Amino acid sequence: MFARHSTHPISTALARVVASALVLCSTAPLAAQAPAEIPTPASVLGFEPGADRKLPTWKQVTDYFMALDKASPRVSVRTLGKTTLGRPFIVAFISDPATLASLPRFQEIQRKLMDPRLRAAGERDRLIADGKLVVLITSSIHSTEVGGILTPLVLAERLAKAETPEARQVLANSIIMLVPSQNPDGVDIVGDHYRKTLGTPEEGNGPPDLYHHYTGHDNNRDWYAFTQLETRYTVDSLYTPWDPQINNDIHQQGSNAGRIFIPPYMDPVEPNIDPILTAGTNSLGSAMSWRMISDGFTGVATNASYDQWSPARQYSLNHRGVRILTETASARLATSMDMPFDRLGPGRGYDAREVTWNYPVLWPGGKWGIGDIVKYQTAASWALLVESARDRQGWLESYAQMGERALGASPPWGKDAWPSAFVIPKAQADTQALQRLVWTLQHGQVEIRETTAPVTAGDKSYPAGSYVVLSKQPFGAYAKALLERQHYPDLHEYPGGPPKRPYDVTAHTLPLLFGVEVAAVAGDAPAAGSIVKPIAEPKFTTALSDARARRVAIFRTTANESMDDGWTRWVFDKYRVPFTQITEKDLAAGSLNGKFDAIVIPDQPPQQLARAIGDAGSAALGAFVEGGGNVLAFNDASLFAIDAMKLPVKNVLEGVKNTDFYAPGSIFGVEVNKSSPLAAGLTTPVPSVWFEDGPAFDITDPAAATAVLSYPASGNALLSGWLLGPQKLNGKAAMVDVKRGRGHVVLYGFRPQYRGQSNATFPLIWAAIGKPAA
Ligand SMILES: [Zn+2]
């Protein structure tokens, strides 16, 4: 039923334009009644969006959009593909019928404004006069933020029906691409759990399973690695062809601070983001808060909580679009709660009990429920649409300017010189990682060429025919962000005080993460040929791929599946390494050697693991190792393993204050113990690990344990991101192989499979699982 909509969206829209024109001509006096034909969400859902304790199924959501598509000439729904678990992933294009009938024409205008190389001399002004403001709304990526699945229904209905001058202006000036859920699977995972637990003590709690099969809440940390299908649909079908001027990303935050956050963001700003976009984000966000507060909304916070750093969360800011993140206060899923004023507290950057410039009107406290959430989210989105449509021309002007300066003088902004290019030699130890790097960059619209003469970068020379990324290209700044090392600013709460926590991680250097040699070229840009055609995503392979010779288990706790578990499964599935998912019940059942050769315990707080696994499970794990099994413990899970199996290893960072040591997501250089078989598969040119609040080890019995990787004995291990207190790491082990009986416990003081991105350290996982029997 969805394919029908994806095959002929333009022609059905066109047919509707004609039909609606006929209706208007013949029954003009009755035109006021026409909106009555637009179905209400309640007519499909059976309840009003925002009704207490009611959530829709994904089928109901898509049914409503299909009904709108049928009834309204302003709405055209397309299916972009099937989600990870097989549900339809949809987008609704919303605009004036005449615009919908000419989408290819407006897309061409948009492309020409984006890239000055595509337009003829003198064409610019006409394109700006004719073009539309393209707004992408992405909602409900985080499935427990349940208002996000209802608000799109309300918005779509309003856009389909409204006849006010401001609605007319929005429809006339904008093309809205509304993605009602960036994670349709999660709508049902959370909704089914909610309906099942209604009226029980569990009511209002999220499900124990990840609400995205592989990534859970991390599904919005995928906007440069593109590991997940859902990310790819939005990037491939919406971002890449359109590069919208605005992304409205609808989220929810905690319950006990402001009622809604709207940008400006807090510092820091990723320095490769075009300052026009930072200023545009600040300007539009401020206009939205102004409008909401004028309309009587309270508890509106700006310049709070959320920063503008990691490209993992902000595709648009790296691709010519402002990103308006809104974060509305949560209730208990669709169950309301009481939040008295005296239980409100400080958020980051403001205090919900005090009036400040960025929190100008207090929310008085009281009942808060799904209806309030939908009301705030709808008002914010409406303010965004109205305020941006008002200045369509200004938005298109600045959009064109960004395109021009991406190809103009270097540096396009700032005071520091930019490299003219990055060279990626084709002779690399890990050809799959090389292919992944090229694929990943191309997928983010980066143009890759081949050099036509040898190039010198640093003290090395690279042959003609090497891959090269020129800085002077439409998304050269984005490529630079991913290829260079990050210098995260040293931010503290106050002088001499604790570090100011970043909203997410601080490093995103793909050459280090993937383990690929890349060199920055200073001076003149190297001679390069035409753009290399998009290459295929590599088929990842290890010796364990498609082999059942090693029996692998991946452990999760029943009560709460960790995101690291999801990412671990993703990496194993991507490499087609078979595994069984097990829980504490399987451990407690014992006789593990009869079932498995290796058990992987992904990153999870050690207390959670200890509580779930208990003494019996710990004893069974110990017996498994004694009997020849291997246990792999990632990051904090290693602390559980040390404790549960009394291993001769100590975490030297335990109890260390964050003023003395802090690294919230950085890349550290390590030294490799070449005599360890576990390190034999490492090929990365710069051995390094992804460190995120993890441990570092001292070995207390050198006869029983060996360091596989160690931090340098002196100097600073930091390669990219942020590190306070580098001396704490000096000489400490990053990865330890503990021999016990006939088996091994392998402790990783880092995440070797970090968000599916750290190809450089994947071999450390495969080696510890062991080679398939010959
Ligand atoms: Zn969220």
Side-chain angles (χ1 to χ4, degrees):
M1 92 180 255
F2 297 99
R4 182 162 52 88
H5 294 273
S6 58
T7 11
H8 305 292
I10 307 294
S11 55
T12 51
L14 185 59
R16 276 192 243 110
V17 178
V18 176
S20 69
L22 288 173
V23 169
L24 275 172
C25 291
S26 55
T27 60
L30 298 175
Q33 287 178 13
E37 296 164 21
I38 304 292
T40 63
S43 69
V44 172
L45 270 50
F47 58 88
E48 292 289 342
D52 228 20
R53 303 175 86 208
K54 292 282 188 191
L55 289 177
T57 62
W58 181 240
K59 170 92 169 48
Q60 288 175 313
V61 174
T62 53
D63 281 354
Y64 180 67
F65 275 96
M66 293 312 167
L68 260 193
D69 173 282
K70 223 166 155 184
S72 169
R74 299 175 181 173
V75 180
S76 177
V77 176
R78 299 179 187 187
T79 301
L80 304 182
K82 286 269 168 59
T83 64
T84 303
L85 299 181
R87 290 178 180 81
F89 187 100
I90 64 165
V91 58
F93 281 77
I94 306 178
S95 188
D96 269 347
T99 305
L100 289 184
S102 307
L103 285 181
R105 178 174 161 248
F106 290 107
Q107 190 177 315
E108 194 193 337
I109 293 174
Q110 184 85 348
R111 300 306 295 165
K112 286 182 169 177
L113 286 173
M114 189 280 283
D115 186 349
R117 298 171 303 184
L118 302 177
R119 59 187 187 241
E123 215 184 351
R124 186 184 193 274
D125 290 351
R126 191 186 55 74
L127 292 168
I128 289 176
D130 292 352
K132 303 291 182 192
L133 177 64
V134 183
V135 181
L136 170 65
I137 303 179
T138 44
S139 197
S140 159
I141 190 168
H142 291 152
S143 312
T144 47
E145 300 166 9
V146 289
I149 195 52
L150 293 159
T151 297
L153 305 172
V154 179
L155 272 179
E157 182 198 21
R158 188 190 287 191
L159 286 162
K161 278 185 179 167
E163 299 297 347
T164 60
E166 68 178 17
R168 286 251 149 246
Q169 188 172 52
V170 168
L171 292 162
N173 287 355
S174 321
I175 294 170
I176 299 159
M177 303 189 292
L178 173 58
V179 175
S181 178
Q182 184 61 36
N183 179 24
D185 294 334
V187 172
D188 287 339
I189 292 172
V190 171
D192 290 348
H193 177 79
Y194 181 69
R195 282 179 288 274
K196 201 174 75 188
T197 53
L198 269 181
T200 75
E202 266 294 293
E203 174 173 340
N205 293 338
D209 303 329
L210 295 177
Y211 54 63
H212 178 280
H213 181 65
Y214 287 122
T215 64
H217 195 82
D218 264 356
N219 59 351
N220 77 326
R221 269 73 166 170
D222 195 36
W223 292 110
Y224 66 78
F226 318 122
T227 63
Q228 303 301 311
L229 287 176
E230 294 79 6
T231 319
R232 291 186 193 181
Y233 293 143
T234 298
V235 168
D236 296 356
S237 300
L238 304 177
Y239 273 122
T240 300
W242 289 95
D243 286 312
Q245 280 84 8
I246 298 171
N247 171 221
N248 176 22
D249 199 13
I250 300 177
H251 286 253
Q252 285 174 218
Q253 57 185 355
S255 309
N256 63 345
R259 294 303 93 187
I260 191 169
F261 161 82
I262 300 174
Y265 298 104
M266 296 176 93
D267 280 324
V269 171
E270 217 285 345
N272 294 294
I273 292 171
D274 192 314
I276 292 177
L277 292 176
T278 303
T281 301
N282 295 347
S283 168
L284 180 55
S286 299
M288 290 164 65
S289 332
W290 183 29
R291 190 185 166 93
M292 283 189 75
I293 291 170
S294 306
D295 288 347
F297 287 87
T298 62
V300 180
T302 61
N303 190 235
S305 304
Y306 308 93
D307 64 37
Q308 199 179 299
W309 184 259
S310 175
R313 296 187 303 121
Q314 46 193 25
Y315 188 91
S316 59
L317 281 168
N318 292 286
H319 293 87
R320 308 272 170 76
V322 306
R323 174 172 185 256
I324 302 292
L325 166 75
T326 65
E327 295 268 2
T328 302
S330 296
R332 306 190 60 238
L333 300 179
T335 301
S336 5
M337 65 195 304
D338 278 315
M339 183 50 67
F341 183 79
D342 56 19
R343 269 180 52 209
L344 296 174
R348 301 180 70 209
Y350 71 109
D351 184 330
R353 295 163 304 189
E354 277 174 43
V355 169
T356 48
W357 77 267
N358 60 338
Y359 193 71
V361 54
L362 299 175
W363 178 65
K367 188 172 175 255
W368 186 257
I370 184 78
D372 302 300
I373 296 168
V374 171
K375 208 168 110 191
Y376 268 72
Q377 289 180 338
T378 305
S381 298
W382 194 253
L384 177 147
L385 293 173
V386 170
E387 294 297 337
S388 58
R390 213 193 282 292
D391 188 17
R392 183 200 61 83
Q393 174 150 351
W395 281 94
L396 267 51
E397 271 287 351
S398 71
Y399 187 77
Q401 272 161 14
M402 285 187 273
E404 286 144 23
R405 69 187 193 179
L407 301 174
S410 183
W413 56 82
K415 63 179 179 46
D416 298 330
W418 285 25
S420 59
F422 293 87
V423 181
I424 310 173
K426 285 185 179 167
Q428 305 260 356
D430 187 344
T431 52
Q432 291 173 46
L434 168 68
Q435 195 179 340
R436 183 176 186 189
L437 179 64
V438 173
W439 178 89
T440 303
L441 291 169
Q442 287 180 327
H443 229 75
Q445 303 181 61
V446 174
E447 295 171 353
I448 296 190
R449 299 166 192 265
E450 287 169 350
T451 54
T452 52
V455 184
T456 305
D459 52 0
K460 278 182 81 171
S461 179
Y462 298 93
S466 298
Y467 288 125
V468 65
V469 177
L470 301 179
S471 294
K472 205 169 276 195
Q473 62 163 298
F475 300 107
Y478 167 70
K480 177 173 169 285
L482 294 179
L483 294 174
E484 71 185 6
R485 296 183 185 186
Q486 280 68 57
H487 303 282
Y488 192 86
D490 192 27
L491 299 175
H492 293 257
E493 296 291 349
Y494 47 87
K500 208 167 167 181
R501 178 170 64 80
Y503 189 73
D504 193 41
V505 299
T506 64
H508 38 266
T509 310
L510 291 185
L512 293 174
L513 285 165
F514 288 0
V516 176
E517 182 184 0
V518 176
V521 182
D524 292 341
S530 53
I531 298 168
V532 174
K533 284 206 189 73
I535 67 164
E537 190 183 11
K539 185 179 180 189
F540 292 108
T541 306
T542 141
L544 297 165
S545 297
D546 306 307
R548 296 214 162 260
R550 294 294 280 175
R551 301 162 304 164
V552 183
I554 299 178
F555 175 80
R556 65 159 286 190
T557 52
T558 305
N560 36 10
E561 183 172 25
S562 75
M563 285 189 281
D564 207 55
D565 169 62
W567 283 116
T568 307
R569 287 187 286 102
W570 183 81
V571 170
F572 277 63
D573 280 349
K574 202 69 186 168
Y575 278 82
R576 301 174 317 287
V577 176
F579 65 87
T580 309
Q581 198 173 30
I582 61 167
T583 68
E584 59 273 8
K585 287 194 194 76
D586 301 288
L587 292 187
S591 310
L592 296 167
N593 300 86
K595 299 166 201 157
F596 306 113
D597 301 305
I599 298 176
V600 180
I601 311 181
D603 181 28
Q604 194 168 342
Q607 305 82 350
Q608 265 181 26
L609 289 166
R611 205 177 314 129
I613 294 173
D615 291 344
S618 296
L621 265 183
F624 171 68
V625 177
E626 293 280 350
N630 291 351
V631 169
L632 290 68
F634 295 168
N635 207 38
D636 282 351
S638 62
L639 302 175
F640 160 77
I642 290 171
D643 218 37
M645 290 180 265
K646 308 277 176 289
L647 305 178
V649 180
K650 197 174 111 213
N651 171 24
V652 299
L653 298 175
E654 188 171 321
V656 174
K657 284 194 297 229
N658 67 0
T659 42
D660 295 331
F661 180 86
Y662 191 61
S666 308
I667 301 171
F668 293 165
V670 288
E671 287 163 4
V672 181
N673 175 358
K674 296 227 167 68
S675 65
S676 168
L678 296 186
L682 276 189
T683 60
T684 176
V686 185
S688 50
V689 298
W690 176 266
F691 187 95
E692 194 175 338
D693 299 327
F697 306 116
D698 261 342
I699 293 170
T700 53
D701 178 5
T706 321
V708 181
L709 303 176
S710 302
Y711 297 110
S714 62
N716 193 332
L718 181 68
L719 297 180
S720 188
W722 192 20
L723 168 58
L724 285 184
Q727 64 286 352
K728 293 270 180 221
L729 292 177
N730 287 146
K732 304 303 175 191
M735 176 176 165
V736 174
D737 177 8
V738 185
K739 181 96 180 87
R740 176 66 63 95
R742 290 164 52 216
H744 296 258
V745 183
V746 184
L747 307 172
Y748 303 77
F750 52 93
R751 295 171 66 188
Q753 80 314 19
Y754 165 68
R755 290 180 184 165
Q757 293 174 26
S758 49
N759 283 64
T761 49
F762 292 169
L764 299 168
I765 304 172
W766 311 135
I769 287 172
K771 286 190 172 43

